Amino acid sequence: AQSVSQHNHHVILSEAASLELGCNYSYGGTVNLFWYVQYPGQHLQLLLKYFSGDPLVKGIKGFEAEFIKSKFSFNLRKPSVQWSDTAEYFCALISSGSARQLTFGSGTQLTVLP
Amino acid sequence: DAGVIQSPRHEVTEMGQEVTLRCKPISGHDYLFWYRQTMMRGLELLIYFNNNVPIDDSGMPEDRFSAKMPNASFSTLKIQPSEPRDSAVYFCASSPGFWGYTFGSGTRLTVV
């Protein structure tokens, strides 16, 4: 069975601070990894995705994530956060054994203070 | 493309009533998913379809929940009878393949 762990439940930062949200997964085979963002009261939107190739993936709004296979990690980063980045962030994966089923982590609530 | 369309956006109903949530996936997407989001459990996959056929409904909490996809452009999630613990945001998503899903705006269900 596959699983995704996000250990930071709530992160509070000031504007311009750097961000790193942790994501670890459990699955022994090939995975496709995603980060989604959910702004207050809205639906999930895709930030970035990793399928293969360069393990450093750049997404929208200045976000990037690095796939480290040896650590089963896919951490999300942004060098300088803005107040508008306040949202909940979900890491997710599709494994080679799960057809198209997207398994989500529990989410990390990011609050950016102005 | 209008994206994944869900209706209604909000639904308030009394305990015991039947509730029907609707979803129109993106044209050409072969997969359709129903998720439920609550504070306690996060995002849970309820059921998903491939080419209108239910593939995995192991996430459907009870027999009170049922989902159908009569054609490629429409799906329903029905709760009968509804209970207060069903209160949640229900998301529909569709996907053409491995490159991630597109989510609808969700239906916020409140059962009083």
Side-chain angles (χ1 to χ4, degrees):
Chain A
Q2 65 218 37
S3 64
V4 179
S5 298
Q6 293 180 247
H7 301 295
N8 305 109
H9 297 295
H10 195 179
V11 172
I12 302 173
L13 295 173
S14 298
E15 275 193 317
S18 64
L19 168 72
E20 181 161 3
L21 301 182
C23 172
N24 289 90
Y25 68 91
S26 173
Y27 186 74
T30 302
V31 294
N32 298 312
L33 294 157
F34 307 84
W35 274 98
Y36 281 85
V37 61
Q38 186 176 27
Y39 297 103
Q42 296 190 25
H43 62 285
L44 290 100
Q45 301 171 45
L46 183 65
L47 266 182
L48 49 80
K49 56 186 181 287
Y50 170 80
F51 295 133
S52 62
D54 189 346
L56 185 61
V57 179
K58 294 191 183 300
I60 61 172
K61 304 184 180 185
F63 287 90
E64 64 179 30
E66 185 174 14
F67 172 54
I68 303 178
K69 189 175 181 179
S70 60
K71 295 184 178 180
F72 297 89
S73 69
F74 190 57
N75 293 354
L76 181 71
R77 300 193 294 248
K78 185 172 183 178
S80 177
V81 295
Q82 300 172 314
W83 177 79
S84 58
D85 292 325
T86 295
E88 190 154 18
Y89 292 80
F90 293 90
C91 183
L93 72 80
I94 295 176
S95 70
S96 56
S98 66
R100 300 298 189 266
Q101 180 178 335
L102 198 61
T103 299
F104 285 93
S106 55
T108 298
Q109 174 64 46
L110 172 65
T111 300
V112 180
L113 304 175
Chain B
D1 196 328
V4 177
I5 300 172
Q6 290 187 248
S7 64
R9 289 295 304 273
H10 301 274
E11 177 80 38
V12 180
T13 190
E14 292 185 345
M15 183 174 62
Q17 296 298 305
E18 177 180 295
V19 176
T20 299
L21 312 181
R22 298 173 176 81
C23 176
K24 176 178 168 52
I26 292 174
S27 177
H29 283 193
D30 296 335
Y31 288 83
L32 183 141
F33 305 82
W34 282 100
Y35 280 85
R36 179 172 67 176
Q37 186 178 35
T38 61
M39 289 289 291
M40 293 295 294
R41 296 187 175 184
L43 279 156
E44 302 174 276
L45 176 66
L46 299 178
I47 184 172
Y48 78 94
F49 296 83
N50 177 213
N51 292 322
N52 313 338
V53 176
I55 303 300
D56 185 353
D57 65 354
S58 58
M60 296 285 261
E62 313 172 19
D63 291 345
R64 299 184 295 107
F65 286 69
S66 63
K68 294 181 179 179
M69 192 165 185
N71 56 62
S73 59
F74 183 65
S75 177
T76 60
L77 177 68
K78 187 176 293 186
I79 309 172
Q80 166 62 18
S82 58
E83 297 182 2
R85 59 193 170 120
D86 301 331
S87 297
V89 181
Y90 291 81
F91 287 103
C92 176
S94 69
S95 168
F98 278 114
W99 45 93
Y101 300 0
T102 300
F103 282 83
S105 297
T107 296
R108 182 174 295 276
L109 173 65
T110 304
V111 183
V112 299

